[in-house]
Amino acid sequence: MRWTTSPALRWIALLLLCAAYLQGGLNKAMDFDAALAEMNHFGLSPAGPLAVAVIVLELGASALILAGRLRWLGALALGGFTLMATFVALRFWQMPLGQERFMAANAFFEHLGLAGGFLLVAWHDLKERAHV
């Protein structure tokens, strides 16, 4: 079965790719104090505007991807965000050897995979648009 012949499967795959960002954006929006605490935990300032920007980015870019409108832009936005957040939050190389470092390293490389997935989504979307 070709990817282009199954729109439902394609949409489900995109939903799964966006699931963490939808969940994260909704959680931050519903518990803004926790979103502020997260920004402060990672030393990001000013916490309020950055938390709002992350919420808008996570939900807005996911909506673009799922709606198919400027999908490439939403995918590049989430891919870039994921890459930056990974280097801020998962600096395993600065941790002492042990379980915490092991878990952070695994999460670091999983997030690199997510960023790569978003890059593929953007590439496929731009390629499809060029052939229309």
Side-chain angles (χ1 to χ4, degrees):
M1 172 170 48
R2 287 181 42 94
W3 173 261
T4 57
T5 61
S6 181
L9 180 60
R10 181 180 186 173
W11 193 85
I12 290 169
L14 293 169
L15 177 63
L16 293 172
L17 190 59
C18 293
Y21 304 90
L22 291 167
Q23 178 266 343
L26 290 172
N27 279 351
K28 287 175 185 73
M30 291 188 298
D31 188 354
F32 196 69
D33 288 338
L36 294 174
E38 182 179 39
M39 296 301 136
N40 289 323
H41 171 77
F42 291 114
L44 300 172
S45 181
L50 286 173
V52 170
V54 169
I55 292 166
V56 169
L57 176 72
E58 288 183 324
L59 297 177
S62 294
L64 290 175
I65 291 168
L66 295 173
R69 312 264 301 151
L70 299 174
R71 179 173 283 148
W72 63 271
L73 182 60
L76 288 178
L78 284 181
F81 169 75
T82 301
L83 197 56
M84 290 186 330
T86 298
F87 280 96
V88 169
L90 297 168
R91 294 177 283 195
F92 69 92
W93 56 89
Q94 294 178 335
M95 297 176 172
L97 292 176
Q99 185 66 20
E100 188 176 348
R101 179 182 175 145
F102 177 81
M103 298 297 287
N106 280 343
F108 179 90
F109 288 101
E110 289 169 358
H111 283 79
L112 291 183
L114 275 172
F118 284 119
L119 187 57
L120 282 172
V121 169
W123 177 58
H124 279 281
D125 191 53
L126 288 170
K127 186 176 174 184
E128 284 178 7
R129 291 179 189 287
H131 288 31
V132 173

